[in-house]
Amino acid sequence: MAEAFLDPLPWLIVLPLAWASLAFLWGDGRGGRLAIAALAVQLALALILAAQVMAEGARVHAVGGWGAPLGIDLLADGLSVLMLLLTQAVALPLAVYARAYFSEVAQTHFWPLTGFLLAALNALFLSADLFNLYVTLELLSLAAVGLVALGGKPAQAAAALRYLLVSLTASGAYLMGVALIYGAYGTVSLAGLAPLIGPDPPLITRLAAGLMLAGLLAKTALFPFHFWLPPAHGGAAAPVSALLSALVVKASFYMVLRLALGPFAPLAELAALLLGVLGATAILWGSWRALTTHHIKMLVAWSTVAQLGYLFLIFPLLQPGGEALQAGVMQAVAHGLAKAAMFAAAGVLMLSTGRDTLEGLAGVAGRVPVTLFAFGLAGVTLMGLPPSGGFLAKWLLIEAALAQGQWPWVAVIIAGGLLAAAYVFKVLRQAFLLAPAAAHFHPVPRVMEWTAFLLAAASVLIGLRATEGVELLGVEVAP
Amino acid sequence: MNGPARLAVGGLAVALAGALAAAILDLPSAAVDLRGAVAMNLSASGVEHPVTAVLLNFRGYDTLLEIAVLLLALLGMLAVAKPESGGSPPAAADPMLRTLAGVAVPLMILAAGYLLWAGAHRPGGAFQAGAVLAAAAVLLHLAGRLPAWASPKRMLRLGLAGGFLVFLAVSAILLSEGALLRYPLEHAGALILLIEAGLTLSLGLILAGLFLVLAWHPASPSESAGEESKS
Amino acid sequence: MHARPDRSPLPRFSLSATLWRGGAFALIWWILAEGRADSWGIGAVTVALATTASLRLAPPGQGRVSFPGLLGFAAFFLVQSAWGGAQVAARAFRSRMDLAPALVDLPVTLPAGMARILLLNTLNLMPGTVSVELRGNRLCLHVLDHRLPVAEEVRQTEAHIARMLRVAA
Amino acid sequence: MTPLEALSALLLLAGAGFYLAGTVGLLRFPDVYARLHALTKADNLGLGLIALGLALQAENLAAGLKILLVWPLVLVASAAVSFAIARRAHELGIAPAGAASPVQPAGGVDQRGGP
Amino acid sequence: MNLAFDALLALALLWSAWRSLATPDLTRAVVMFIVFGLLMALAWARLDAPDIALAEAAIGAGLTGALLLDALGAFGKRRAGDKP
Amino acid sequence: MTGLEGYLALFLLLNLLVALIRAARGPTPADRMLAALLFGTTGVGVLLLMAHARETVAMPLVDTALVLALLAAITGVAFARRAWHAAGRDDDPA
């Protein structure tokens, strides 16, 4: 009995839900310390769970003791544990950062919203049920929209509203797909569906899969559904942008991957090429827009649009046990850490200069060197230079493409890397210019600089610990 | 929307409707019979009404997260509502409305209690009871007998989050039975009633809060001017 | 026609009002639960809550309701409301609609508070009248046909309410 | 058909008739005030008769009373809403149709036209 | 007769939904939406789903209608710029 | 639904839809709203008729009618107090 009580798996969901509602209850921004302590515990829980999964294989937790299809199953396999680790690893430094970033008043709503956001992420990564995935997705989207609107400025409200509308429409499409699947098969459990969907499924299944895919792509902001992302991510407060870009868009990507590997595997091939082409377009278009914008955070946000493209390049290359899957997960993890670092750094730069344009950066290098270094390190990951996680991801992707003779993807990957280098160096060059005489810099808490640096360093160093990750990723449910 | 966009959206809708119709006409017979599974396990669920059994026992975890969604919706709206908009007292109402509230609100409380009780063996339950309670709160608000909600105080926040916290605590404590939300057979009925009672109150407050925060608009002149304010 | 602000924050506790209302709510609960005995656990709590809410929202007045008065009022009300419905129906179906609508102003003799509000509401359901406004002691009514004895009807209603609530008419 | 059933059917039919009267009144009466009469009187009576007719056929006392309970609830609601709307219309200066010229009301009360 | 009832209900649902979306007049749109909510409650009742009919009656007919009317009031006031 | 009750329910539904003409015609916002309120009372009647003679869902439908009746006042009051600001006709913004 005590053993069940100490199981890290359910606590990864219960704990953030608990501290989120307690933070709401206490109010007045007093949730920060609680959140950081709880996040430290969550990181430890995720590590314990990873160790357990590595040692004993994938774990299933039947909520309510009923088991699928009557009840809901939670599943912790290698893929979900890796995403859980990423979530806690990004959230903890960002929580420390946010406590310094926000005023006391702004924290009143930040902590509860963040708590629910993280609970939704953890629940989503652990879910093995189509309808339960919908609920977690809904929780995630609402928390994200609330966080975008947090500042209350008209531009933020407008971005949040647009995000909300896209999000609700996308959820609706996904839900309609779930309803059709339930109508066709009588169950919504992933494990239960997998054997039921054959190689040539009926029209209803194809329609359902199409609707679900469209909804998830809109949530992931894959080109051409990316239009909502730059204003939402670029306009929100820096810690919020970091959470959204690093984690939230990954959640819907994770679902696409989970469904394509799981019950909808027979249909995945049909959409693979389309997803690859959209991904490639996203890389080129997002990088180009990042290169031509004049606002720091819009640059980082457009870079997210581009980097999300890489995630979808894996679909035309996906083969059982192949390198494409490893590349995709590595890209998700490396980009998550790097983008969190980059938004955190951008927040420091903007606080320090008091401006949000690239021109305003002149001379900032001398004031916040650690931050600039963090920005550069994160840039190394985005460009895909060794030994970073980004390098490894792109390397694996190129290898897979070459192995299958699909060389056009290679050209896109290399072009994307060059464009990323261009926009990162554009920022760095501007920062090292001499400050104009009229420039005035504000002091920034040191802890914000160092958390950004920590995240950036992790995104680079993760490349050195890739073997464990690959081994963990290999853990699947015993058939 | 301009013409071509309208046409495109319309075309998309028609195509989707057509595909849906075609898909549903081609509906295969479901491989899994969940209805049967629910009926078979109903006696072990602690309640007699299958819908309540699914909502609070078999798929109670979904419901837990859905309550969080509702709480979150309110939270998001509170985050957007401007803090300075909070203090204004609600409008004073005419005696007619106050009398209506005096008669209708106790009846609504009775109805909510009844729906809560009924949920165990027939349609009803926390959602419907909460909605009725919320209506009572809205009526009280229209009658000028509720304080403004733009920045809820501690007790109110406890009411808003209480139902969710009770549900979460019960779920977590039941880990001692081996899994999240695994009710022991002999206490299932009582625990579900406890959760539902908490949810009724919280859902009522949350739904009313959604109304009150959304309905709040700055300086409603017709309400505050010209009518005496309540002391 | 505005309420005076509540002078006393805590209404005087009245045992008889509490018992009467509690009893009424318990009866309603019994009807709602269709007489099932196992409902009384939640029922007791709910009835208590409803009674509390009722006492808070509508503090008990001075006197208590006269039971024969209540019966008389109910009978009067039922007959009148049936008559009112019939009258409207007759006018709606007549091929040449014979309406003579008007706003009329009448003095009210009932004391302010519950009694007047009851009057306003009752008149809405009575033949030919809809209350529009109460300003001071003047009641403004909309009548479908001013040739009907409206004033007489209002006086009768007032008398019934006065008898039921034991107030001066 | 037992007498009770016949009575019940009669009540139901009468109730439906009053509903029809309410709708006809809503469509034919000249202004908001007059239409309020149609709504508050005819429809409520229709509902009352239907509830009574159905309650007569109910299986037990409590079930019948429950059906009847609906009626007073609707009465209270309609009376309050009717007053709220009429008052608002009056406040907004909407004059009742046909009341512009002074007429002598029965019962010798003073009367007024539009506001 | 049941078929007539259902067909009429379905048509009325579609029509009220369309009117509430298509009409340019906001008051009419809100009224049609309230009507739609009530018809929906009837439809759920007809489909033997009283659970949902109950929820629809409470939320659709009671709360949402009041909420939309409230928003309408705020909007109309702002647009007309009048302070009655 | 069978017998007299069924026909009456159909009749009331028709009645409802005819009343929508008032919602379309106006002229004041209140006139449109009256149609919605008529839907409330008539909807209660239809629900009661539908509840009749259906073993399993009879009382739940009566409950639904009760809830509808209990909440009917709210929209009307919200309309009169909050929504209706200008004594306009037809396409007035209020």
Side-chain angles (χ1 to χ4, degrees), chain A residues 1 4 13 21 24-26 30 61-62 64 66 69-72 112 129 131-132 135 139 142-143 184-186 204, chain B residues 27 30-32 34 41 57-59 61-62 65 69 72 75 79-80 82 154 157-158 165 168 175-176 178-181:
Chain A
M1 288 302 120
I13 298 163
S21 31
F24 169 67
L25 209 57
W26 287 343
R30 268 173 290 195
H61 183 97
W66 302 103
L70 181 60
I72 299 167
D129 181 290
F131 183 75
N132 185 246
V135 179
L139 193 62
L142 264 182
Y185 298 99
I204 191 166
Chain B
L27 195 67
V32 181
L34 266 191
N41 289 291
N57 195 335
F58 303 143
R59 290 188 79 93
Y61 173 59
D62 276 343
L65 293 179
V69 167
L72 199 54
L75 214 73
V80 178
K82 299 272 184 305
R154 178 74 60 94
R157 289 201 301 263
L158 184 63
L165 278 171
L168 187 67
L175 271 176
S176 60
L180 212 55
L181 213 59

Side-chain angles (χ1 to χ4, degrees), chain F:
Chain F
M1 286 186 294
T2 48
L4 181 61
E5 287 79 14
Y7 285 106
L8 287 181
L10 180 61
F11 174 74
L12 290 192
L13 185 64
L14 271 170
N15 219 347
L16 276 185
L17 299 179
V18 172
L20 281 180
I21 297 174
R22 183 45 74 198
R25 270 201 209 149
T28 67
D31 291 300
R32 304 185 199 288
M33 194 61 205
L34 286 185
L37 294 176
L38 178 120
F39 260 63
T41 35
T42 316
V44 170
V46 176
L47 278 172
L48 286 180
L49 286 169
M50 282 167 80
H52 183 72
R54 293 221 289 181
E55 312 286 307
T56 48
V57 292
M59 278 342 250
L61 287 185
V62 174
D63 292 349
T64 311
L66 258 168
V67 167
L68 200 57
L70 208 47
L71 303 197
I74 295 202
T75 37
V77 169
F79 170 76
R81 282 192 59 82
R82 299 296 195 99
W84 194 17
H85 290 303
R89 299 178 80 81
D90 250 336
D91 291 314
D92 200 88

Side-chain angles (χ1 to χ4, degrees), chain A residues 353 355 357-367 427-436 439-441:
Chain A
T353 60
R355 302 170 61 179
T357 54
L358 285 180
E359 285 74 31
L361 287 180
V364 82
R367 300 302 177 124
V427 174
L428 296 181
R429 194 183 67 100
Q430 193 67 31
F432 280 104
L433 289 181
L434 274 185
H440 175 72
F441 294 100

Side-chain angles (χ1 to χ4, degrees), chain A residues 287-304:
Chain A
S287 302
W288 176 251
R289 289 300 301 265
L291 193 58
T292 49
T293 183
H294 293 282
H295 293 260
I296 309 169
K297 282 182 65 191
M298 286 309 263
L299 183 151
V300 186
W302 276 109
S303 144
T304 299

Side-chain angles (χ1 to χ4, degrees), chain A residues 151-176:
Chain A
K153 288 186 217 129
Q156 289 171 330
L161 207 58
R162 186 193 308 204
Y163 184 18
L164 180 68
L165 287 178
V166 171
S167 213
L168 286 181
T169 315
S171 300
Y174 176 84
L175 184 60
M176 197 185 278

Side-chain angles (χ1 to χ4, degrees), chain D residues 28-54:
Chain D
R28 287 189 72 200
F29 282 180
D31 65 357
V32 186
Y33 303 100
R35 287 176 202 137
L36 275 175
H37 285 271
L39 204 60
T40 48
K41 294 173 187 69
D43 267 27
N44 285 338
L45 186 57
L47 176 64
L49 292 176
I50 284 191
L52 192 56
L54 290 173

Side-chain angles (χ1 to χ4, degrees), chain D residues 20-82:
Chain D
L20 178 65
T23 306
V24 171
L26 188 72
L27 293 180
R28 287 189 72 200
F29 282 180
D31 65 357
V32 186
Y33 303 100
R35 287 176 202 137
L36 275 175
H37 285 271
L39 204 60
T40 48
K41 294 173 187 69
D43 267 27
N44 285 338
L45 186 57
L47 176 64
L49 292 176
I50 284 191
L52 192 56
L54 290 173
L56 287 181
Q57 301 184 38
E59 282 159 23
N60 54 48
L61 178 65
L65 286 175
K66 195 160 157 182
I67 294 171
L68 277 183
L69 184 62
V70 174
W71 191 46
L73 293 181
V74 171
L75 281 186
V76 170
S78 329
V81 168
S82 157

